[in-house]
Amino acid sequence: MSGGFRSRSAGRRSQESARNQESERKGQKNSRGDRRGQASRRGGASKRGPATRTGDAAREAAFDVLLRVSEEGAYANLALPALLRERKISGRDAAFATELTYGALRTQGVLDAVIAENSSRELDRIDPRVLAALRLGTYQLLYTRVSSHAAVDTSVRLVEAAGQGKAKGFANGILRTVDRSTPQQWFDRLTPSGALEAAAFRHAHPAWIARSFFAALGLDSESSPDQLAELERALESDSARPTVHLVARPGELSAEELALSIGGEEGTYSPYAVYLDEGDPGQLEPVRERLAAVQDEGSQLIARAVAEVPVEGDQGKWLDLCAGPGGKAALMGALARIDGASVDAVESSAHRAELVRKATDGLPVRVHTADGRDPGLAPGYDRVLVDAPCSGLGALRRRPEARWTKSERDIAELTTLQSELLASAIRLARPGGVIVYSTCSPDLRETRGVVDAALGDGGVEELDAAGFACGMEHTGEFPSVQMWPHRHGTDAMFFAVLRKK
């Protein structure tokens, strides 16, 4: 809710699809712990076909994606671009559809609170098609400059076109009531009383995620204005649209050459990073020729750290234990080629293993389809990366619906898997070898909790990871590195460096 109500940046909106291509990779990585709706999440068109016939292409597209997310577990950042291509929606209509879709999904918890305040039925008793239309209408009333009449009328027409004509009066009544108060009046009325809970509501996050961020930031006093301001900055950045980060393949193209060729800007930390403000990165010649790829700068730093930590007697035997979909494996492979080393890349999913093969084609990388907890490989690796499946809380800005679909209950299951994968990595490393443990989540249970448990077993010691973060500052109070969008412009990634005794 930062940035003011009823505001919209058309220029930024038109870049949304390009800026979210990196999240396809994140979505594939983080979906390993979530097995619901795997087929639909590949982003193809819904088998049910278009749900509406109103003549309003942008709102129909947004409506259908919201329905797929709620009913089929689809990933919006995959489903929306596919639907726009299928229906040949472009230009201003595509930009408007993008704004409505991602905006309504990002603020869903707030929208639902406003709808529930004005509904005679519990939300779970409202037909999903009616609820999707109500969310779109309420989003337009609270967060955009769309006229009240247009927001209400088009939403009611969506209800009718979806075969819910009997609910037209119900939807119209709710939206007319919402429109009788200003957006600020609704927020004042519904904001929770607790300081942390209020901050979470203002920035459209579940309270449990705000509490997780609060702890991961090293904050300890919810009554401190300075600490709450830090949390608010983190939550605000978590809802901002990210800049596209590209990686120049080492040994083939420098970041300077890539930036000059595409009109981008060299990255702040990674020596291979380039920032792209606008455009479709998939259409860039260096990307088409596989000289560059889309990869968050934080992800680049983690893969680089694996290659940079000193290892006495390095024999060039490297391992990526959780390689799908292949971004870090590709960067490790490029660095390994320079160093005369080779990489074994393990991925449990056959589909993602194939993605790793495509990403690392031509590099000294061998892909194994196996469970990283017991991959059937002989121990003795000099360098091991464990980019563990995680909750993905560090990449919420790339998947707008994820903050409302994830559950704190999932973390216990994930930390068990993460600990088992780290234990496997330690077994496979040789004495004196290094293990880099990373997640795209700042939650302390998935980061320091897993690392500290491994340290407690006594087989490894922790090194100062900040020394391998290319000058990045404010990375936390521990030897590990915790990145943040509001501090570093990266996803909220974590990595720790361990050495096997």
Side-chain angles (χ1 to χ4, degrees), residues 155-166:
S155 300
V156 172
R157 285 196 283 119
L158 284 170
V159 170
E160 182 178 29
Q164 296 296 302
K166 293 182 179 180

Side-chain angles (χ1 to χ4, degrees), residues 43-263:
S46 172
K47 294 180 180 179
R48 301 192 312 187
T52 58
R53 299 289 185 187
T54 67
D56 189 329
R59 288 184 173 90
E60 284 187 10
F63 176 90
D64 289 349
V65 174
L66 260 63
L67 199 57
R68 285 197 57 199
V69 168
S70 65
E71 291 292 278
E72 304 172 19
Y75 287 152
N77 64 293
L78 303 185
L80 178 62
L83 189 148
L84 295 177
R85 288 193 299 269
E86 176 191 320
R87 300 184 187 176
K88 297 181 173 56
I89 300 172
S90 60
R92 294 179 64 182
D93 280 346
F96 188 41
T98 299
E99 165 68 9
L100 291 181
T101 302
Y102 294 149
L105 289 170
R106 188 178 295 113
T107 60
Q108 180 176 304
V110 178
L111 303 179
D112 284 356
V114 175
I115 294 168
E117 185 74 7
N118 295 283
S119 174
S120 58
R121 308 176 197 169
E122 299 292 332
L123 293 187
D124 59 6
R125 294 182 57 238
I126 299 176
D127 184 278
R129 291 163 289 185
V130 177
L131 184 57
L134 286 171
R135 286 168 174 166
L136 279 178
T138 303
Y139 177 74
Q140 292 172 77
L141 291 171
L142 298 184
Y143 290 96
T144 78
R145 293 179 180 173
V146 171
S147 72
S148 298
H149 172 75
V152 174
D153 181 64
T154 56
S155 300
V156 172
R157 285 196 283 119
L158 284 170
V159 170
E160 182 178 29
Q164 296 296 302
K166 293 182 179 180
K168 287 173 56 181
F170 172 74
N172 183 72
I174 289 177
L175 294 174
R176 293 293 180 193
T177 305
V178 171
D179 191 45
R180 290 191 188 108
S181 298
T182 67
Q184 191 59 58
Q185 286 172 332
W186 280 117
F187 294 121
D188 290 344
R189 189 178 308 171
L190 297 176
T191 297
S193 58
L196 184 144
E197 289 77 11
F201 188 83
R202 280 194 296 273
H203 296 283
H205 281 71
W208 77 267
I209 292 180
R211 197 167 296 283
S212 169
F213 284 13
F214 191 82
L217 285 163
L219 309 177
D220 56 16
S221 174
E222 295 178 18
S223 62
S224 166
D226 289 342
Q227 294 196 11
L228 282 173
E230 170 82 355
L231 174 64
E232 297 229 22
R233 287 192 293 272
L235 295 174
E236 182 178 17
S237 293
D238 201 45
S239 292
R241 300 177 180 97
T243 299
V244 172
H245 292 181
L246 299 177
V247 58
R249 178 165 284 184
E252 298 190 37
L253 187 70
S254 71
E256 180 182 17
E257 291 168 334
L258 176 60
L260 289 172
S261 70
I262 66 172

Side-chain angles (χ1 to χ4, degrees), residues 365-378:
V365 178
R366 295 181 295 272
V367 181
H368 308 264
T369 305
D371 189 327
R373 292 170 291 187
D374 186 16
L377 300 174

Side-chain angles (χ1 to χ4, degrees), residues 2-24:
S2 57
F5 310 119
R6 294 186 182 272
S7 64
R8 186 193 304 148
S9 172
R12 293 175 65 190
R13 218 174 41 240
S14 66
Q15 299 166 12
E16 182 78 47
S17 178
R19 294 185 188 279
N20 277 273
Q21 289 201 12
E22 168 72 0
S23 64
E24 175 172 357

Side-chain angles (χ1 to χ4, degrees), residues 22 25-27 29-30 32 213 296 298-299 302 328 386-398 406 418 437-443 446-447 482-483 490-495:
E22 168 72 0
R25 303 165 69 84
K26 296 289 177 209
K29 166 70 76 175
N30 294 323
R32 286 182 286 192
F213 284 13
D296 186 86
S299 179
I302 292 168
K328 294 183 181 68
V386 188
D387 186 33
C390 67
S391 64
L393 297 185
L396 294 179
R397 58 189 185 152
R398 302 186 187 277
K406 294 180 183 298
Q418 291 156 357
Y437 172 81
S438 67
T439 67
C440 191
S441 168
D443 191 283
E446 301 184 81
T447 59
Q482 179 60 64
M483 309 176 211
T490 67
D491 286 345
M493 294 184 175
F494 167 92
F495 77 96

Side-chain angles (χ1 to χ4, degrees), residues 267-273 275 297 301 469-473 487-490:
T268 304
Y269 305 107
S270 167
Y272 321 118
Y275 305 151
E297 188 171 19
L301 291 179
C470 296
M472 183 178 280
E473 299 179 336
R487 290 180 179 176
H488 311 110
T490 67

